[in-house]
Amino acid sequence: MKDKRIFTINPGSTSTKIALFEGDKCLFSENVAHDAGKLKEFKNIVDQFPYREATILDILNKNQIDLSMVDAFVGRGGGLLAVEGGTYIVNDLLLKHAAEGANGISHPAQLGSLLADKLAKQYGRQCFVVNPPDTDELQDKARMTGIKDVYRNVHLHALNLKETAIRHSNQMGKQYEESNYIVCHLGGGVSVSAHCMGRMIDGNDIVGGEGPMAPTRCGAVPVVEVLKYMKKHQIEAQEMEKLAMKTGGFVSWLGTSDAREIEARIAQGDKAAQMVWETFIYQVEKYIGAMACVLKGKAEGILLSGGMVHSKHLVQQISEDCSWIAPVYAYPGEFEMEAMAAGAIRILDGLEIPKEYTGIQTWQGFDF
């Protein structure tokens, strides 16, 4: 059987990634960095569509990439209401919600399905979204908080987390749906998640300010102390949101989001950099321990992925401190583009049934 050709599009905050796959082989890829000043010219995320589309078409033209031989197109998900994990056929409602940002979160990932769909229609092919950021498979006990009518949501690096777990399962000769893992994405954002028999039943809400500190995010902080901080520095909620999402974590402490720079500063004797780095690893390990309890001590592996996993010190430290829970496996980098292609191929090969986006949220509230 001929390997399927899949074209993937992944718009990021300051870049657009595209890739063409034939089976699991990447035939072509490009990561275009956008001028920040140019992006600021657009009032809304959706207004960037023509600019990003022109960028993609220019790359394809310069590299003489023929999309007429592509079997399916996949766009990075975004802007959707909470869904189960899986591969979704892009329909009109999904496109509408992506354009609107129905989940209330504004991110360029919303453009992924819109850009892929336009190309798919042009060539008469199917279009999919795979494990979008809005994937929500939390168990009910993970949703409650100590304040009535305040519930936990979940926003994780679902695409990369699930692909890492699927790849590891394949290497172990197992099915993802039959395995339990603690899976961490340690990159520009940080996700620590519990995977039970193919479902992410718990994890930190990276949009809601949970979890370990990250390069640009503050992570979990005491609510009362935040209120004191806001009063002392006369900070409004909007400014605090920036600390939670864009200017917290490494940036707040050290003025950089680059883990490589932090390790270089540590090597030069920078005590502040060393303390922040060690605290970051400590916090990741705390959440790994929490996810171990979620899985009732039955984790079969702790899987580390993301750009920071290139750090030998980070992997060594987590291995030393957490291997009593389960073996630690390192998968440096990320597999987002590969994950999108693999999701589409599973559908085209009949290994998985595609899901339909209905706009009905995964969780509708408790019945009490």
Side-chain angles (χ1 to χ4, degrees), residues 11-285:
S13 298
T14 58
S15 67
T16 298
K17 299 177 185 177
I18 60 173
L20 176 63
F21 291 87
E22 185 173 77
D24 59 3
K25 180 182 179 182
C26 182
L27 301 178
F28 173 81
S29 67
E30 187 84 24
N31 183 6
V32 182
H34 300 298
D35 179 74
K38 178 64 178 178
L39 293 180
K40 286 182 179 179
E41 294 177 9
F42 303 102
K43 183 177 180 181
N44 301 308
I45 291 294
V46 174
D47 295 338
Q48 296 179 15
F49 182 96
Y51 168 69
R52 300 237 187 190
E53 180 188 28
T55 299
I56 293 171
L57 294 178
D58 183 56
I59 294 169
L60 295 174
N61 182 55
K62 287 181 178 178
N63 291 277
Q64 299 182 333
I65 303 298
D66 180 11
L67 297 184
S68 66
M69 301 300 290
V70 169
D71 294 289
F73 293 81
V74 183
R76 185 78 171 96
L80 310 180
L81 298 178
V83 295
E84 286 186 330
T87 299
Y88 287 80
I89 297 174
V90 172
N91 58 25
D92 290 342
L93 182 61
L94 187 149
L95 293 171
K96 180 176 182 292
H97 281 187
E100 295 172 349
N103 61 3
I105 300 168
S106 179
H107 191 279
Q110 295 168 236
L111 295 169
S113 57
L114 300 170
L115 291 163
D117 177 73
K118 185 167 182 181
L119 287 172
K121 287 175 178 172
Q122 179 181 340
Y123 291 97
R125 299 292 190 267
Q126 294 187 78
C127 186
F128 303 104
V129 161
V130 181
N131 289 320
D134 312 293
T135 297
D136 181 350
E137 299 172 335
L138 288 186
Q139 59 183 340
D140 281 349
K141 287 183 291 186
R143 299 189 184 279
M144 295 193 73
T145 73
I147 302 177
K148 186 177 180 181
D149 293 334
V150 174
Y151 301 103
R152 292 186 67 239
N153 297 302
V154 63
H155 297 92
L156 297 161
H157 297 86
L159 183 63
N160 196 55
L161 292 168
K162 281 185 170 276
E163 182 66 16
T164 301
I166 290 169
R167 286 172 174 245
H168 179 77
S169 297
N170 291 340
Q171 289 185 18
M172 295 291 121
K174 303 187 66 175
Q175 294 293 316
Y176 170 52
E177 292 77 12
E178 298 173 352
S179 308
N180 289 349
Y181 302 120
I182 300 165
V183 192
C184 309
H185 176 90
L186 309 177
V190 175
S191 296
V192 184
S193 55
H195 296 236
C196 179
M197 302 299 168
R199 295 178 64 83
M200 292 195 304
I201 63 172
D202 207 343
N204 58 296
D205 183 1
I206 59 176
V207 173
E210 290 189 331
M213 75 163 79
T216 62
R217 295 170 179 171
C218 66
V221 291
V223 176
V224 171
E225 295 304 316
V226 169
L227 295 174
K228 290 179 182 178
Y229 179 88
M230 292 175 68
K231 183 176 181 180
K232 178 180 178 180
H233 297 279
Q234 297 183 333
I235 292 176
E236 299 295 329
Q238 188 175 10
E239 187 65 26
M240 199 64 223
E241 286 181 6
K242 288 183 180 179
L243 270 173
M245 292 292 297
K246 297 180 179 180
T247 60
F250 297 174
V251 171
S252 177
W253 279 102
L254 303 172
T256 180
S257 61
D258 192 333
R260 293 166 300 183
E261 179 183 335
I262 291 174
E263 287 198 296
R265 286 164 63 169
I266 292 171
Q268 295 170 2
D270 188 323
K271 293 183 179 179
Q274 182 173 354
M275 187 63 180
V276 169
W277 184 243
E278 290 181 356
T279 299
F280 163 69
I281 295 174
Y282 172 80
Q283 291 181 357
V284 169
E285 292 174 346

